[in-house]
Amino acid sequence: MRLCVIGTGYVGLVTGTCFAATGQRVICVDKDASKVDRLQRYEIPIYESGLGELVEENAQAGRLTFSTDLVSAVRDVDLAFIAVGTPPKTDGEADLSAVFGVAQELVKHANHDLVIVLKSTVPVGTNAQVQRLVADAKHDVQVVSNPEFLKEGGAINDFMYPDRIIVGVRSGHERARRLINRVYHPLNLSSTKIVWMNPESAELTKYAANTMLAMRISFMNELAVLCEEVGADVQSIRHGVGSDPRIGPQFLHAGPGYGGSCFPKDVKALVATARRHGIELELADATNRVNVRHRSFVVRKLKRRFENNLAGKRIAIWGLAFKPGTDDIRESPSITTIEFLLDEGCEVVAHDPEAIENIRETFGDKIDLVDDAYEALKGADALVLLTEWREYQYPEFDRIKELMRTPVILDGRNIWVTYRLTEQGFEYEGVGVQVAAS
Ligand SMILES: NC(=O)c1ccc[n+]([C@@H]2O[C@H](COP(=O)([O-])OP(=O)(O)OC[C@H]3O[C@@H](n4cnc5c(N)ncnc54)[C@H](O)[C@@H]3O)[C@@H](O)[C@H]2O)c1
């Protein structure tokens, strides 16, 4: 089949490349010429494990090409996937200007019947709006909703081996149904993966999934605060409740608050959409409020340790990406933490295996960024761990202690909680955990 994928970000590039890997001919289009230029040289603008090799392999095989020219790309394609960004507006609603803009261009330049697939995360009702937008097209244009569930850091695996493929299609759009079945066939050999529904349900399914996951995290973060107050241990509680198969263990880790390009924006967008319909989604709204409040926990803990005076303190941060396995810092807890620390007059020195360049764009020379994790610790008054990269799991604690001015560790992901660091002379705190007395 011939496909075009518009938007070559985390979702579009993975989608296009993986479809090419299943034998389809794919043109990936982006309006960012420098991105396209780099991709044409097999340079990957984002960090996603395994993606570089897959892009190169499929591009060299002639199945995957990159272009800025949407007009030529849409010619003769069976399906056009829209995977552009839908960032939040100030009122929390998703900004759909790129989605609508691309849909209009597609219809204007398609020289044949077309199926448009909405892969971007878009609020309920968007499919209907796009379908209305294309009503005057010269050809038959059917609009399908197919929200994406891949996770950065494991995106290729998620795409190639999906838990489910959500497809919202209108009744009567049989061509769309047939083409979706065909394009996903290699990922759906068992024929059990596609969950068909109407477009409104598909759109809401994506927001419901992200909000539910975010809700679990916010709940555990709130519980962690109570745990610290009453001497309970949030990790034990996680095991205790997570072993109930009705609950399951995932997304129950207390930490520095959820971040990334999806959870924060999608929770807010769901609340905003419901409000537009006169409905108050109180649980979703509280999920967001708890997360925002929780973001200051690092600073609160450090202030308590340093008697409310953080001015001049040198704070080392390990981990800037919103999670391991990606260079994505959008809405990362590291950003608000650094802002709070700078407001308190701290000196911040930070390390991350992949996200240094992105964070440099945000903070410029307001913070020190180092390529070696241990370099960050020289003369530090505290070490704050914010992203649980594998390379931070088993550090040389003797070396850490030698380098730091005061051996204070704030472990925002509870990865070192069992290491008996107090016995090694550290002042150790996690999130909602009880540290065994030495
Ligand atoms: N990142 C994720 O993990 C993830 C997971 C599931 C769903 N989503 C959703 O997928 C969508 C895309 O997310 P992303 O993280 O890939 O975004 P991104 O910002 O990484 O990529 C978007 C790309 O679209 C391009 N673009 C914007 N307007 C364009 C236009 N008019 N024509 C051509 N290209 C255009 C941008 O230049 C950019 O390269 C969003 O709606 C997001 O919510 C993201």
Side-chain angles (χ1 to χ4, degrees):
M1 296 172 79
R2 286 173 175 273
L3 323 175
C4 73
V5 179
I6 303 104
T8 60
Y10 289 88
V11 168
L13 185 57
V14 171
T15 301
T17 307
C18 288
F19 276 138
T22 65
Q24 323 291 1
R25 284 184 174 271
V26 184
I27 306 184
C28 287
V29 179
D30 205 289
K31 64 170 188 186
D32 182 339
S34 68
K35 216 176 222 187
V36 169
D37 194 45
R38 289 179 66 185
L39 285 165
Q40 283 168 338
R41 284 181 273 121
Y42 313 143
E43 268 177 44
I44 309 300
I46 55 171
Y47 174 75
E48 181 63 51
S49 175
L51 188 56
E53 295 86 328
L54 208 58
V55 165
E56 187 161 352
E57 192 183 310
N58 285 284
Q60 280 182 345
R63 289 187 294 265
L64 180 63
T65 50
F66 300 97
S67 170
T68 51
D69 182 4
L70 182 61
V71 178
S72 326
V74 68
R75 278 194 207 120
D76 305 322
V77 295
D78 302 297
L79 293 153
F81 289 81
I82 300 184
V84 296
T86 49
K89 296 195 286 192
T90 45
D91 60 0
E93 294 259 17
D95 181 347
L96 298 175
S97 51
V99 171
F100 292 140
V102 168
Q104 264 162 337
E105 286 293 298
L106 285 172
V107 173
K108 198 160 128 200
H109 299 290
N111 54 353
H112 58 298
D113 292 350
L114 183 66
V115 172
I116 294 180
V117 187
L118 297 175
K119 210 159 221 345
S120 300
T121 303
V122 291
V124 60
T126 307
N127 180 300
Q129 272 178 282
V130 175
Q131 192 66 62
R132 278 198 294 277
L133 210 70
V134 303
D136 299 332
K138 287 186 267 1
H139 304 276
D140 178 37
V141 180
Q142 302 185 353
V143 184
V144 173
S145 293
N146 171 220
E148 181 51 54
F149 291 87
L150 62 77
K151 298 181 289 300
E152 289 174 26
I156 293 173
N157 196 60
D158 287 347
F159 195 91
M160 293 301 229
Y161 305 98
D163 309 316
R164 78 296 208 192
I165 301 162
I166 300 292
V167 184
V169 63
R170 288 191 193 288
S171 56
H173 281 186
E174 286 316 311
R175 192 164 50 83
R177 191 180 281 266
R178 201 176 59 248
L179 288 177
I180 287 284
N181 249 329
R182 263 181 68 195
V183 77
Y184 274 115
H185 175 72
L187 317 181
N188 183 35
L189 293 175
S190 60
S191 300
T192 56
K193 303 281 182 168
I194 298 185
V195 185
W196 299 97
M197 52 186 80
N198 70 13
E200 288 69 31
S201 310
E203 290 168 331
L204 260 184
T205 299
K206 174 67 191 174
Y207 284 96
N210 276 358
T211 303
M212 215 175 274
L213 295 172
M215 203 178 286
R216 286 165 71 104
I217 296 172
S218 271
F219 179 60
M220 293 311 278
N221 284 337
E222 265 198 317
L223 214 54
V225 177
L226 178 63
C227 284
E228 290 182 2
E229 209 52 43
V230 300
D233 181 77
V234 80
Q235 304 256 77
S236 309
I237 296 172
R238 184 176 82 85
H239 287 136
V241 300
S243 49
D244 181 334
R246 293 170 303 176
I247 296 173
Q250 296 209 54
F251 287 81
L252 292 179
H253 286 277
Y258 61 77
S261 68
C262 293
F263 285 9
K265 102 172 153 54
D266 291 350
V267 172
K268 282 184 267 184
L270 180 62
V271 172
T273 304
R275 270 195 198 133
R276 198 163 18 89
H277 291 273
I279 293 162
E280 207 50 47
L281 288 186
E282 294 185 27
L283 284 176
D285 195 29
T287 298
N288 173 51
R289 278 187 280 113
V290 169
N291 195 52
V292 170
R293 190 176 62 212
H294 191 68
R295 291 274 175 88
S296 60
F297 94 97
V298 167
V299 151
R300 277 188 273 126
K301 279 183 184 248
L302 288 177
K303 274 174 101 167
R304 202 170 52 221
R305 165 60 183 77
F306 293 104
E307 291 158 358
N308 267 332
N309 185 12
L310 288 179
K313 292 281 180 286
R314 189 169 170 81
I315 309 297
I317 296 183
W318 278 9
L320 301 164
F322 84 94
K323 67 171 180 177
T326 179
D327 60 348
D328 198 344
I329 57 157
R330 290 178 284 184
E331 296 253 7
S332 174
S334 67
I335 293 179
T336 31
T337 302
I338 293 170
E339 283 168 353
F340 284 131
L341 292 172
L342 292 177
D343 283 349
E344 293 292 328
C346 295
E347 256 178 66
V348 176
V349 52
H351 174 267
D352 188 282
E354 296 296 337
I356 295 262
E357 289 316 314
N358 285 341
I359 213 88
R360 203 190 302 282
E361 280 176 26
T362 308
F363 288 102
D365 56 8
K366 286 196 204 139
I367 63 173
D368 285 339
L369 292 165
V370 290
D371 292 331
D372 174 10
Y374 292 94
E375 182 72 24
L377 302 171
K378 283 186 184 156
D381 294 290
L383 164 62
V384 177
L385 181 288
L386 288 178
T387 317
E388 68 278 32
W389 283 97
R390 195 174 308 159
E391 72 174 81
Y392 299 147
Q393 297 273 346
Y394 309 102
E396 296 169 45
F397 285 105
D398 288 348
R399 208 172 145 201
I400 293 182
K401 202 156 123 232
E402 231 163 71
L403 288 166
M404 293 181 74
R405 183 155 54 200
T406 42
V408 172
I409 291 186
L410 183 45
D411 174 2
R413 298 285 180 177
N414 293 335
I415 60 172
W416 300 320
V417 68
T418 57
Y419 288 20
R420 297 188 165 271
L421 292 179
T422 47
E423 284 174 22
Q424 296 180 48
F426 285 98
E427 289 177 47
Y428 174 86
E429 262 199 78
V431 189
V433 289
Q434 298 301 312
V435 182
S438 46

